[in-house]
Amino acid sequence: MNCQEVVLGRAGTGGRGRDTAWFVHCRTCAELAQEQLEPLDLLPADSGLVIYRCRRCGDRRVCRAGWRTRCHVCLDGRSAGSALDAGAALLARMPQEADLAAGVRQFAGLAADAPVPVRTAAEFSAAVALGEDLDRYARDGWSVVAGDVHGLPWFGRRLQPTSHGTWAIHDTCGTLQKATTAQAVCRSCQPEPGSRSFLLLQDTPYLLYLVRHRGLQKFGVGGERRVRTHLGAGATVLQVLEARHADVITAEAILKRQKQMEAVPLRFWRTRRMPASFGVGTEVVRASVPINLSVVLPNGVDVTHRFTREPV
């Protein structure tokens, strides 16, 4: 799949490597993909699953223990042919869609007039598709940790419902459990309402927010309740923008890529400095890191005032 080299035989034999992220790989590509990820000790051993984090971009993916997977977003130096088709399709749209072109360049940290490599465009397509898919499981009071989307990173969309599931943490009690798109119910707490679909929400208002707690900042997406959950945990709001759900998801993907190298070490900061509402995402950075949400969401309406005074 990745390099388009023709391989024969069963997985793990001859020139064919272990199948990776649901697709056939040659041996070299399979070994290269394995170097992308590091396992995180988040799921119990008897779950039969492992959550991995990409060493390059910080995104996480869940996979069955003993199986092979790779980052949802990142391609590699051997990615070629149809593996780049999603990027080529996106590049073809950019001359007619100025906002899209600006978003792709922001995602990659390129100058406003710089040419965009097809690989970069493909990774942008995958990052946005991942954000859209995981947001189907987002609920106020929950932090989505990792999912598994069949078809990423190469196709820029989900191809099949096959998946190892999506996992989320209940911010109130810290329980990590498998999420569904139905009503969110914590096995340790009382049920919470809310069932949402990206397709229904893509044109509805949504929030991109930035809050601060002691020496840390957290950015994310959600509704008003999500922002107020952080405030209730002792955080201070810095900036909140409102825009179309689809635009907010895209902006968050850009911001995560821009700040990936500045994310705080989870184990130390989670236990000593972070309120429970911050979850375990890659969206927590030190307070000294400059963040301006308006740069990644220029069409957003500033609604920070809603959270800097007592609600009526």
Side-chain angles (χ1 to χ4, degrees), residues 39-52 62-67 167 176 187 267:
L40 300 177
D41 186 20
L42 295 176
L43 295 175
D46 60 3
S47 70
L49 298 170
V50 179
I51 291 177
Y52 295 93
V62 65
C63 187
R64 185 176 296 177
W67 287 30
W167 294 77
L176 177 65
R187 61 172 177 261
R267 292 188 180 278

Side-chain angles (χ1 to χ4, degrees), residues 23-247:
F23 288 88
V24 173
H25 279 51
C26 73
R27 183 174 297 277
T28 303
C29 282
E31 293 173 352
L32 188 61
Q34 278 301 107
E35 298 173 358
Q36 285 184 331
L37 305 176
E38 59 181 346
L40 300 177
D41 186 20
L42 295 176
L43 295 175
D46 60 3
S47 70
L49 298 170
V50 179
I51 291 177
Y52 295 93
R53 177 170 52 204
C54 177
R55 291 187 171 95
R56 178 180 170 221
C57 75
D59 277 328
R60 296 172 299 270
R61 186 166 191 163
V62 65
C63 187
R64 185 176 296 177
W67 287 30
R68 297 289 184 94
T69 193
R70 60 184 294 158
C71 178
H72 275 124
V73 175
C74 295
L75 297 173
D76 56 63
R78 292 177 58 83
S79 301
S82 62
L84 300 175
D85 283 353
L90 189 145
L91 287 178
R93 294 168 48 198
M94 286 174 51
Q96 290 77 41
E97 301 181 42
D99 289 344
L100 174 64
V104 176
R105 289 189 173 93
Q106 283 183 320
F107 176 79
L110 299 174
D113 56 350
V116 177
V118 64
R119 173 181 160 182
T120 296
E123 290 179 341
F124 175 86
S125 179
V128 172
L130 177 64
E132 293 174 357
D133 194 274
L134 294 187
D135 197 63
R136 297 185 301 119
Y137 300 89
R139 303 289 183 274
D140 288 334
W142 292 78
S143 296
V144 175
V145 176
D148 181 51
V149 181
H150 186 289
L152 297 182
W154 307 282
F155 291 94
R157 58 187 174 86
R158 178 182 284 279
L159 291 185
Q160 297 182 22
T162 306
S163 174
H164 299 305
T166 297
W167 294 77
I169 282 182
H170 190 212
D171 298 334
T172 300
C173 66
T175 300
L176 177 65
Q177 60 191 61
K178 194 171 183 179
T180 71
T181 56
Q183 186 177 24
V185 178
C186 177
R187 61 172 177 261
S188 302
C189 304
Q190 294 298 316
E192 295 184 6
S195 177
R196 308 185 307 161
S197 163
F198 176 78
L199 293 178
L200 294 176
L201 285 176
Q202 60 182 340
D203 291 319
T204 62
Y206 211 46
L207 301 179
L208 178 68
Y209 64 81
L210 177 67
V211 296
R212 176 173 178 168
H213 182 270
R214 298 177 67 180
L216 300 174
Q217 297 179 102
K218 155 88 173 168
F219 59 87
V221 301
E224 288 203 7
R225 182 180 174 187
R226 180 66 177 145
V227 180
R228 296 196 186 282
T229 297
H230 292 312
L231 300 187
T236 301
V237 68
L238 298 178
Q239 188 179 17
V240 184
L241 301 182
E242 184 176 71
R244 291 174 62 247
H245 181 271
D247 294 338

